[in-house]
Amino acid sequence: MSYITKSPWVIHYDGSSCNGCDIEVLACLTPMYDVERFGIINTGNPKHADVFLVTGSINEQNISVVKQIYEQMPEPKVVVAIGICATSGGVFRECYNIKGGVDTVIPVDVYVPGCAARPEAIIDGVVKGLGVLAEKKAAMKEKAIAVLDTEAEAPAPEPPIEIQVYGSTEPREHGGAHDASTPGKGEA
Amino acid sequence: MEFSIFSVISAVLYLLLGPFIGGLLAGIDRKITARMQGRFGPPILQPFYDVGKLLEKEAVTVNKGQDFYVMACLIFMIITGTLFFFGENLLLVIFMLTTSALFLVIGAFSSASPYSQIGAERELLQMMSYEPMVLLMAVGLYMVNGTFRVSEIVSHGPLSLKLLIGIFIGYLFILTIKFRKSPFDLSLSHHAHQELVAGLKTEFSGRTLAALEVAHWYENVFLLGFLFLFFANGTWYMAVIGVVVCLIAYFLEIFIDNVYARMKWQFTLKSSWLVTLVFGGVNVLMLYFLKAFSLIGN
Ligand code: SF4
């Protein structure tokens, strides 16, 4: 059994959310929803976090910030994109400064759509993320064993991590942002 | 130097059961805190899950020294408690306790992170606040019992509480600092705080953070043991009362934690020194006069 599923500490980052999703994330911590029941703690420190909650879409200025937070988190870790903005860019995706959903910058494991995503959906998304965490932990172990096992064979390929999907992950066209040909931009 | 089988047993019990009792107390703390806030709260065993999780995580450290310092903090904490439960000299125990705390500060200072640096500074302020009282406790216990040895205080000392009521109150006060509870959780808190209030552990992660957590469990059990010393006079009923008072004190700390906001460090320092002076100092002075007029023994 893995303890990682019993004590997921989350870190929350607001990309360019309208604050709707942020408030819903915070609502999860209130007595009403009380995610501490599941051992979930909201940390402000990527080095302590296991689950990265991102609300809002990624804009040109916070690309490096999101990447940095992600890289500072020790393995195993999962990323949960909360709200339709974080999933695909949402209503902001056409904006000049928006790069798109979180998955344009870092790998996302769980998508929680909704505008704003309801606290129930967020908790559900984090709990789905726990399954991914457990798989990643198992993969880490296998990798460690594979490294120890033999050097004669080629390094074992990383076991595929099945991405749990919450909502749709259909490839999205990325329009607008930097496209000079987009109508309505650059004119005038 | 006497060497009794009882000392050995209690030291071994502390070594083995210390973290379990400490972890359980931490779990109960979180549950009670949650209930006080109208929440359901995590399972009682949550602190153990947390530490288990931290041990499973990838090891990331900013420098090699840091891990060593935090491990030293844990080891000295274990030594502190073991010496105490073995019945050793109280002064030695207190110096070990300080060493352990200092290693933690050095560990935090060893990284360049500003949060870590501020956390270390605030931890030093905390130490400045509680150290005088801890030393006065040793002085008081010595004046009443005529010995620094814990085993003798426990087995055939008089009931220390009667003459040390001021020092007892002072100790309860600094216990809030030592347990890292509001209003005095300057550098580290057990709640999900960030940045300033979690400054000390900003750069610790994975196994290092787990070691710190286990050190806290050991420390809490030791601190409650210290409290027990006031009630020990070698009789079983006072032992029972002592344990009950320890639990009540622990509950009181949780309660205080939940009803107070965090104070500035200035308040922490001033108030704890004031309490030390008024309750601790006056108590020691009183003992001195009682002795001078031979109203008490030793
Ligand atoms: S999904 Fe809706 S509520 Fe959430 S950040 Fe985007 S616009 Fe705001």
Side-chain angles (χ1 to χ4, degrees):
Chain A
M1 187 206 55
S2 178
Y3 288 112
I4 196 115
T5 55
K6 293 197 164 184
S7 154
W9 293 357
V10 304
I11 180 167
H12 168 215
Y13 181 74
D14 171 0
S16 3
S17 155
C18 73
N19 273 184
C21 285
D22 297 328
I23 286 170
E24 300 300 322
V25 167
L26 295 179
C28 297
L29 305 170
T30 58
M32 175 84 181
Y33 296 99
D34 185 29
V35 284
E36 208 194 348
R37 280 177 298 158
F38 310 114
I40 298 176
I41 285 182
N42 184 23
T43 77
N45 187 344
K47 288 180 181 169
H48 298 169
D50 310 298
V51 182
F52 187 13
L53 306 179
V54 194
T55 52
S57 40
I58 302 299
N59 63 46
E60 296 295 338
Q61 294 204 347
N62 65 23
I63 295 172
S64 60
V65 179
V66 172
K67 275 188 183 159
Q68 242 180 48
I69 295 176
Y70 181 74
E71 274 154 19
Q72 280 187 9
M73 288 168 64
E75 293 284 350
K77 56 190 168 190
V78 296
V79 179
V80 182
I82 290 170
I84 204 66
C85 290
T87 310
S88 68
V91 288
F92 300 114
R93 69 183 290 188
E94 300 289 312
C95 290
Y96 68 96
N97 58 339
I98 295 296
K99 186 159 165 66
V102 181
D103 53 5
T104 54
V105 183
I106 54 173
V108 174
D109 299 283
V110 182
Y111 295 88
V112 182
C115 178
R118 283 170 170 275
E120 291 93 338
I122 296 172
I123 295 172
D124 201 20
V126 172
V127 170
K128 279 232 160 66
L130 297 187
V132 184
L133 259 183
E135 277 172 38
K136 284 191 177 178
K137 176 65 204 165
M140 260 172 78
K141 227 180 224 165
E142 261 173 48
K143 206 170 153 192
I145 291 168
V147 168
L148 287 175
D149 255 2
T150 172
E151 289 144 279
E153 281 183 45
E158 219 166 288
I161 290 159
E162 212 179 295
I163 290 181
Q164 305 234 346
V165 176
Y166 193 83
S168 158
T169 52
E170 285 297 296
R172 291 172 301 279
E173 273 174 28
H174 185 251
H178 319 285
D179 201 346
S181 65
T182 311
K185 291 250 171 79
E187 290 170 10
Chain B
M1 179 176 157
E2 63 185 292
F3 180 83
S4 77
I5 191 78
F6 181 73
S7 318
V8 178
I9 292 176
S10 71
V12 170
L13 277 182
Y14 172 77
L15 268 179
L16 298 178
L17 295 183
F20 286 99
I21 298 171
L24 221 55
L25 281 175
I28 292 169
D29 176 354
R30 280 176 71 174
K31 194 82 178 173
I32 293 177
T33 299
R35 288 295 162 91
M36 281 180 182
Q37 296 169 355
R39 295 185 291 119
F40 184 75
I44 300 276
L45 295 181
Q46 188 61 41
F48 296 105
Y49 299 152
D50 289 349
V51 166
K53 188 276 302 274
L54 289 170
L55 292 174
E56 281 178 356
K57 293 280 280 185
E58 177 192 24
V60 180
T61 44
V62 286
N63 59 46
K64 284 232 174 64
Q66 190 181 60
D67 279 7
F68 169 76
Y69 294 133
V70 176
M71 282 302 157
C73 163
L74 170 63
I75 289 167
F76 275 101
M77 196 56 240
I78 294 175
I79 294 174
T80 308
T82 311
L83 284 176
F84 179 83
F85 282 90
F86 187 70
E88 258 303 325
N89 193 313
L90 211 50
L91 287 178
L92 187 62
V93 171
I94 290 173
F95 293 145
M96 284 294 166
L97 180 69
T98 311
T99 314
S100 162
L102 276 179
F103 267 112
L104 182 59
V105 172
I106 297 172
F109 266 133
S110 77
S111 97
S113 150
Y115 290 130
S116 188
Q117 298 271 326
I118 291 180
E121 273 164 26
R122 288 167 72 96
E123 177 70 13
L124 281 177
L125 283 167
Q126 281 201 6
M127 287 176 67
M128 270 171 73
S129 312
Y130 69 71
E131 279 297 331
M133 192 64 231
V134 173
L135 284 174
L136 272 188
M137 271 179 67
V139 171
L141 284 168
Y142 175 79
M143 287 177 90
V144 171
N145 293 285
T147 172
F148 277 121
R149 290 187 55 83
V150 176
S151 57
E152 285 168 28
I153 296 175
V154 170
S155 56
H156 38 72
L159 183 63
S160 312
L161 183 69
K162 261 191 309 190
L163 292 167
L164 292 180
I165 190 78
I167 287 183
F168 179 74
I169 294 169
Y171 182 61
L172 276 184
F173 190 85
I174 61 150
L175 212 53
T176 317
I177 305 178
K178 282 303 276 171
F179 277 154
R180 304 184 178 286
K181 299 283 188 202
S182 285
F184 302 135
D185 47 351
L186 296 183
S187 60
L188 193 58
S189 163
H190 283 291
H191 302 300
H193 282 300
Q194 313 175 4
E195 302 178 348
L196 205 55
V197 186
L200 203 60
K201 63 176 181 186
T202 301
E203 296 300 321
F204 305 152
S205 64
R207 219 170 304 158
T208 316
L209 193 57
L212 184 60
E213 202 54 38
V214 174
H216 279 318
W217 296 349
Y218 269 116
E219 186 176 19
N220 287 354
V221 174
F222 157 72
L223 290 170
L224 290 178
F226 219 140
L227 193 67
F228 177 79
L229 222 50
F230 285 97
F231 295 88
N233 65 350
T235 56
W236 67 268
Y237 56 89
M238 278 321 285
V240 173
I241 292 177
V243 171
V244 171
V245 170
C246 283
L247 292 177
I248 293 174
Y250 195 71
F251 180 81
L252 191 71
E253 294 298 340
I254 298 172
F255 182 71
I256 290 171
D257 189 29
N258 278 293
V259 294
Y260 277 99
R262 185 166 311 99
M263 300 291 185
K264 289 181 181 171
W265 66 263
Q266 287 92 335
F267 179 82
T268 306
L269 197 62
K270 279 181 201 156
S271 64
S272 57
W273 279 17
L274 195 72
V275 167
T276 303
L277 204 68
V278 171
F279 287 97
V282 168
N283 199 160
V284 168
L285 219 66
M286 188 195 78
L287 280 178
Y288 179 80
F289 283 122
L290 285 177
K291 265 187 160 179
F293 298 113
S294 357
L295 292 172
I296 52 170
N298 301 320

